């Protein structure tokens, strides 16, 4: 029986790079990741065996099926780290709070962790996040916008969803991002995701960004949140010096890996 592949943080980064750069040579990929060509080739062989990438002479690209369903792949990526971060976020939130969750794969893990809590009101543009919360029955109130369903990641997107976002005044806005950048703040690629975050954050009591260490200076295109708009960053490793200086006004909570004896 074939198992669903689980990607390492570096393999997830390879997917992000290939999404931004449709095809790339193995040498360029090794340079971008700061690892040896041998290490990249080993990663790519495992990913090719799982049908995630397709190799061609001198280079590599995402498999066509993966390009069509990147969200399902992200739900399988770096799972242990995302679960650990989700539990840390859950510990920061009181029962009865009002929360906005974005449409990231990390938000799905946060929703799973929150399902056991009581009396939350959660607004989200993501049907996947709503489904994770609905597992707890009527314990929480879940609000979804109107809008056009984007089947690639089951997000309700478009003008109606953004109008809904501008009307929200949550205690907490909890989001993930494509990149944590010293120069650019929190970066994303998708214009709707950027606009959604920008529509909610001015009215949110506390903005919590959840991102593992693979997002430190990762590729990103558009600033969704400047550092001055973020109150809490939940991550799994201490920030490198330049990033720590840029985020010095932010409370950084490190969810360290627990070592089982």
């Amino acid at each position: 029986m074939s198992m669903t592949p689980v990607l390492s943080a570096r393999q997830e980064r390879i997917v992000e790079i290939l999404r931004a750069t449709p095809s790339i040579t193995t040498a360029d990929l090794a340079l971008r990741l700061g690892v040896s060509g041998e290490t990249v080739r080993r990663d790519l062989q495992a990913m090719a065996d799982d049908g995630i990438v397709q190799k061609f002479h001198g280079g590599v690209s995402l498999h066509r099926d993966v390009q069509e369903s990147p969200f399902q792949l992200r739900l399988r990526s770096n799972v242990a780290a995302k679960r650990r971060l989700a539990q840390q976020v859950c510990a920061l939130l009181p029962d009865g709070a009002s929360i906005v969750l974005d449409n990231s794969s990390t938000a799905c893990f946060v929703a799973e962790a929150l399902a056991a809590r009581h009396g939350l009101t959660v607004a989200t543009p993501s049907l996947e996040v709503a489904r994770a919360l609905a597992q707890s029955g009527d314990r929480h109130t879940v609000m979804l916008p109107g809008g056009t369903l984007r089947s690639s990641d089951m997000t309700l997107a478009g003008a109606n969803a953004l109008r809904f976002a501008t009307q929200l005044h949550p205690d907490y806005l909890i989001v993930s991002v494509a990149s944590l950048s010293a120069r650019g703040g929190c970066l994303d690629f998708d214009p709707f995701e950027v606009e959604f975050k920008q529509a909610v954050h001015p009215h949110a009591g506390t903005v919590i960004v959840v991102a593992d260490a693979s997002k430190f200076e990762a590729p990103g295109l558009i600033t969704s949140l400047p550092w001055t708009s973020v109150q809490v960053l939940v991550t799994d490793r201490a920030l490198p010096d330049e990033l720590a200086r840029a985020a010095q006004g932010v409370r950084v909570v490190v969810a360290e890996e627990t070592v089982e004896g």
Side-chain angles (χ1 to χ4, degrees):
M1 188 174 73
S2 70
M3 294 198 47
T4 302
V6 173
L7 301 186
S8 70
R10 190 172 59 241
Q11 288 173 323
E12 186 176 13
R13 180 89 188 272
I14 289 171
V15 171
E16 292 293 342
I17 291 169
L18 289 176
R19 196 167 291 130
T21 313
S23 67
I24 193 170
T25 66
T26 309
D28 281 347
L29 200 50
L31 201 62
R32 293 278 291 275
L33 292 165
V35 296
S36 70
E38 182 55 40
T39 298
V40 166
R41 280 190 289 276
R42 214 166 31 239
D43 275 346
L44 292 176
Q45 187 56 57
M47 294 167 79
D49 291 345
D50 287 331
I52 294 167
V53 301
Q54 45 200 22
K55 298 194 293 183
F56 52 87
H57 184 64
V60 65
S61 62
L62 281 183
H63 195 281
R64 191 184 70 239
D65 292 346
V66 171
Q67 288 172 331
E68 289 164 2
S69 59
F71 188 77
Q72 292 305 318
L73 184 68
R74 294 212 306 273
L75 282 175
R76 303 202 295 262
S77 303
N78 222 3
V79 170
K82 287 176 183 172
R83 285 228 162 92
R84 201 161 57 244
L85 295 179
Q87 291 296 338
Q88 185 69 65
V89 171
C90 194
L92 297 173
L93 304 174
D95 283 341
S98 60
I99 298 165
V100 173
L101 284 170
D102 69 358
N103 62 326
S104 63
S105 59
T106 299
C108 289
F109 290 100
V110 172
E112 276 183 9
L114 290 175
R117 301 293 294 276
H118 294 276
L120 300 173
T121 300
V122 182
T124 180
S126 166
L127 292 187
E128 294 284 2
V129 169
R131 192 191 339 240
L133 283 161
Q135 290 170 359
S136 61
D138 293 332
R139 197 177 286 175
H140 306 300
T141 301
V142 181
M143 298 168 62
L144 290 158
T148 305
L149 182 62
R150 193 165 72 180
S151 60
S152 62
D153 61 355
M154 301 303 280
T155 295
L156 290 158
N160 285 340
L162 291 174
R163 200 156 40 241
F164 169 80
T166 61
Q167 296 167 349
L168 298 170
H169 288 67
D171 299 325
Y172 298 90
L173 167 62
I174 302 169
V175 300
S176 189
V177 292
S179 169
L180 302 174
S181 162
R183 286 188 306 118
C186 300
L187 304 178
D188 282 299
F189 288 103
D190 184 88
F192 169 76
E193 292 170 19
V194 170
E195 288 183 67
F196 186 87
K197 289 164 187 166
Q198 291 179 349
V200 180
H201 90 75
H203 311 296
T206 301
V207 176
I208 301 176
V209 173
V210 192
D212 64 67
S214 71
K215 305 295 177 67
F216 296 173
E217 301 296 353
L221 186 63
I222 314 166
T223 298
S224 49
L225 294 168
W227 285 117
T228 50
S229 298
V230 180
Q231 281 76 54
V232 182
L233 169 63
V234 178
T235 186
D236 57 355
R237 203 181 304 157
L239 301 184
D241 290 346
E242 194 181 355
L243 203 50
R245 280 194 294 275
Q248 61 185 346
V250 178
R251 177 189 171 198
V252 179
V253 179
V254 179
E256 293 183 9
E257 194 166 353
T258 53
V259 179
E260 294 183 11

